[in-house]
Amino acid sequence: MLIVPEREIADLMTRAAAFDAIEKVFAAMASGDAYNFPVVREEIGHEDALYGFKGGFDRAGLTLGLKAGGYWPNNLEKRGLINHQSTVFLFDPDSGKVKAMVGGNLLTALRTAAASSVSIKHLARKDASVLGMVGAGHQATFQLRAALEQRNFEKVIGWNYHPEMLPNIEKVTQEAGVPFEAVDLPAMTEADVIISITSAFAPSLMADHVSPGTHVACMGTDTKGKQEVEAALLGRAAVFTDEVAQSVSIGEAQHAIAEGIIIETDVAQLGAVINGDHPGRISKDQITLFDGTGVGLQDLAVAAKVVDLAVEKGIALEVDF
Ligand code: NAD
């Protein structure tokens, strides 16, 4: 068995490699070559922790495995550890023997950022020049860095529920040499692409805050009850997702479906656009919305890539198991 510890991931994995892995696996999901297993997520009644598994099998890439982990809210204060903890396990699909164990914390951030980037590549207008950020937490910095590589953005505008966190994303824009402006939500109408990445349970971004022609990537809603954008926005948009079953149950679409604004068949897979089986954006005035819920196959795809890179560089630890 190969082990790639968390501490090695930052030097091994690039944004480009994560983007490529995620684009390929979304395509494989839409063509039926890859599928996700039902998600297990449990309150374990200890340390207020949420723990679970996300797994799947990609027949095209021959990647089988799961990510185990969750959220331990007391970690930072009590142990100096980050609150999100996860590990990816990969198995040999021919024999069932365990192949690799890979640190999953940084990979989760990178694969989530890659997902919104893939959606921008395939759905945003080519001439998009203003990027709007709703959210300024840990994940927002990754989303922003990856998004800036997809179009020639001339400006980033940002809003956050906790304004004192805005310097997190401003720092990323400074590093990238792109001007940043803190704005109120109605000013998001200036944006050509909006990424929302918050842990909110009530909408911040309303339908009237989004102009025709905008691409919106909703990345924070990954649980029943969470919500970042007004459900009416999904009624005005062409809606895409990583996986339809998750979008309508734990993603942003759960609310628009419950309110009868859209139905399940209104939600298309981004992978179908990548494969050329769906036209994607069909006019410059259309609003496109990507409901990124986060699937196990994303974790497996980036973990498999990191194992290859670790083997190439002689960094993977080998254990007789
Ligand atoms: P974080 O705790 O670092 O940041 C939380 C963000 O949400 C901050 O910007 C905060 O100001 C904002 N926020 C908190 N309460 C709010 C409210 N009531 N209204 C509006 N905004 C509010 O968290 P993070 O690591 O950046 O993760 C953000 C979200 O992304 C979480 O919900 C997480 O579960 C989700 N996530 C999704 C995926 C995926 O694949 N889709 C992957 C990783 C994380």
Side-chain angles (χ1 to χ4, degrees):
M1 176 174 79
L2 299 170
I3 299 176
V4 186
E6 184 68 45
R7 64 171 183 275
E8 304 289 358
I9 308 289
D11 288 338
L12 284 170
M13 196 62 179
T14 62
R15 281 194 295 282
F19 184 96
D20 186 53
I22 296 310
E23 192 178 42
K24 281 202 178 84
V25 82
F26 281 172
M29 281 162 57
S31 62
D33 283 329
Y35 71 107
N36 292 287
F37 305 155
V39 174
V40 173
R41 200 166 161 88
E42 295 286 321
E43 285 178 25
I44 60 172
H46 179 75
E47 288 285 346
D48 297 324
L50 272 177
Y51 174 70
F53 315 104
K54 280 186 167 183
F57 180 41
D58 178 356
R59 271 185 226 101
L62 287 182
T63 313
L64 173 69
L66 60 91
K67 177 168 84 170
Y71 187 71
W72 276 259
N74 308 320
N75 267 2
L76 192 59
E77 220 164 277
K78 276 195 186 171
R79 301 176 186 84
L81 292 172
I82 63 168
N83 293 348
H84 286 278
Q85 289 291 330
S86 65
T87 308
V88 181
F89 297 88
L90 298 174
F91 297 84
D92 179 342
D94 296 333
S95 65
K97 204 168 154 29
V98 66
K99 250 171 65 170
M101 180 169 100
V102 184
N105 296 348
L106 179 57
L107 283 183
T108 300
L110 290 170
R111 64 81 148 145
T112 307
S116 58
S117 269
V118 170
S119 84
I120 293 168
K121 173 182 168 186
H122 291 279
L123 296 172
R125 292 191 339 266
K126 296 275 181 288
D127 64 351
S129 63
V130 178
L131 173 61
M133 291 295 301
V134 176
H138 173 72
Q139 188 63 46
T141 59
F142 289 89
Q143 302 294 136
L144 175 55
R145 241 178 241 116
L148 286 172
E149 290 165 353
Q150 289 309 314
R151 291 291 185 268
N152 287 321
F153 290 111
E154 289 161 9
K155 182 163 119 176
V156 176
I157 57 178
W159 176 88
N160 195 47
Y161 185 75
H162 302 100
E164 68 279 9
M165 292 169 84
L166 281 171
N168 291 341
I169 53 172
E170 185 170 10
K171 187 163 171 276
V172 176
T173 61
Q174 280 166 352
E175 284 162 10
V178 181
F180 176 80
E181 192 188 328
V183 295
D184 290 330
L185 280 165
M188 280 291 156
T189 49
E190 196 194 340
D192 305 303
V193 172
I194 300 173
I195 299 175
S196 65
I197 179 77
T198 69
S199 49
F201 280 79
S204 306
L205 190 73
M206 304 314 237
D208 287 344
H209 298 157
V210 178
S211 292
T214 304
H215 173 62
V216 186
C218 303
M219 302 306 297
T221 297
D222 55 1
T223 306
K224 207 168 174 47
K226 280 188 186 172
Q227 185 173 13
E228 296 191 283
V229 305
E230 188 183 14
L233 178 62
L234 281 82
R236 290 191 195 173
V239 181
F240 299 85
T241 187
D242 39 25
E243 186 174 282
V244 175
Q246 285 198 181
S247 170
V248 301
S249 57
I250 58 169
E252 205 59 47
Q254 63 180 296
H255 307 288
I257 298 256
E259 291 178 33
I261 294 168
I262 61 168
I263 56 171
E264 184 166 335
T265 49
D266 291 326
V267 183
Q269 273 184 295
L270 178 58
V273 182
I274 299 167
N275 285 335
D277 295 330
H278 188 293
R281 165 178 295 280
I282 52 169
S283 79
K284 68 176 183 23
D285 291 334
Q286 190 179 35
I287 295 173
T288 52
L289 185 146
F290 175 63
D291 186 8
T293 63
V295 294
L297 281 168
Q298 284 175 258
D299 299 300
L300 306 188
V302 287
K305 183 67 196 174
V306 128
V307 172
D308 288 348
L309 293 169
V311 169
E312 235 172 67
K313 296 197 170 169
I315 287 170
L317 309 170
E318 194 157 3
V319 179
D320 189 12
F321 181 79

